Amino acid sequence: MLKRDSTFQFRVDIPQVLFLLFCLYGFLLPFESILEFWFGIDTIFKPYRLVNLLIIGVFVIHLARGGVTIRRDIREDIFLYGIFIYGLALSLILMMTIPFQMEHFYNDVFQSSLYLLAFFIFKTLDLTPAQLNRVFQALLLGILLNGQPPAP
């Protein structure tokens, strides 16, 4: 992840940092209510959303350095894009036809934007099958640790 070159400067392997952040993101996804459970804090900034914001920030740095390539298979996910467009269109129709709570709309747009940005960033990474498996294992570990033990 950190490499030292001949001029005693450290070089950061940003794709590797993004991979590790996605592993952390996958692990934290099941722990959405952990702050509320442990500390009584109910906030929009859940731990996995903070990691998602960090992923976006690191990606912006990566983008500024010019190291990003968009994979061609990104067009194959048209169904997922359709789901997001459908949800946004449905929200806009509901805004015009019934009493609408704007704060919920802003919350949903914020969350959907984070998910969609994370998806696009994940699609730009050139991950090996072993790395994809590692992200899945991190998610699975989070699910197992977050699960409740069976009742006696």
Side-chain angles (χ1 to χ4, degrees):
M1 191 160 75
L2 289 175
K3 298 176 186 169
R4 201 169 153 186
D5 64 10
S6 61
T7 61
F8 299 106
Q9 294 180 352
F10 287 98
R11 304 185 127 224
V12 178
D13 185 8
I14 291 183
Q16 183 67 19
V17 171
L18 286 170
F19 162 68
L20 293 174
L21 285 173
F22 271 110
C23 287
L24 181 61
Y25 179 71
F27 175 76
L28 289 174
L29 273 172
F31 296 98
E32 179 169 354
S33 300
I34 198 163
L35 292 176
E36 187 175 355
F37 179 76
W38 280 353
F39 306 110
I41 301 171
D42 187 21
T43 177
I44 191 172
F45 294 107
K46 311 292 185 191
Y48 71 92
R49 291 185 193 144
L50 293 175
V51 172
N52 196 346
L53 290 171
L54 189 58
I55 288 171
I56 292 168
V58 170
F59 183 74
V60 167
I61 292 170
H62 191 45
L63 192 62
R65 287 183 165 181
V68 176
T69 57
I70 304 295
R71 295 182 355 205
R72 296 187 67 103
D73 66 346
I74 203 162
R75 287 181 255 148
E76 295 173 6
D77 299 307
I78 194 74
F79 185 69
L80 178 68
Y81 310 142
I83 291 171
F84 280 106
I85 291 170
Y86 171 76
L88 187 59
L90 186 61
S91 295
L92 293 174
I93 290 169
L94 289 176
M95 282 174 61
M96 293 183 278
T97 59
I98 64 172
F100 194 76
Q101 295 183 354
M102 202 58 159
E103 57 274 354
H104 293 296
F105 176 72
Y106 290 144
N107 183 27
D108 292 345
V109 167
F110 172 71
Q111 291 178 38
S112 297
S113 299
L114 286 180
Y115 300 142
L116 195 57
L117 282 171
F119 170 75
F120 280 123
I121 293 169
F122 194 78
K123 289 292 277 188
T124 63
L125 298 178
D126 190 21
L127 298 176
T128 65
Q131 288 175 314
L132 291 171
N133 193 22
R134 182 67 82 184
V135 173
F136 179 72
Q137 288 172 351
L139 173 65
L140 187 60
L141 180 63
I143 290 170
L144 291 174
L145 291 176
N146 190 39
Q148 296 179 357

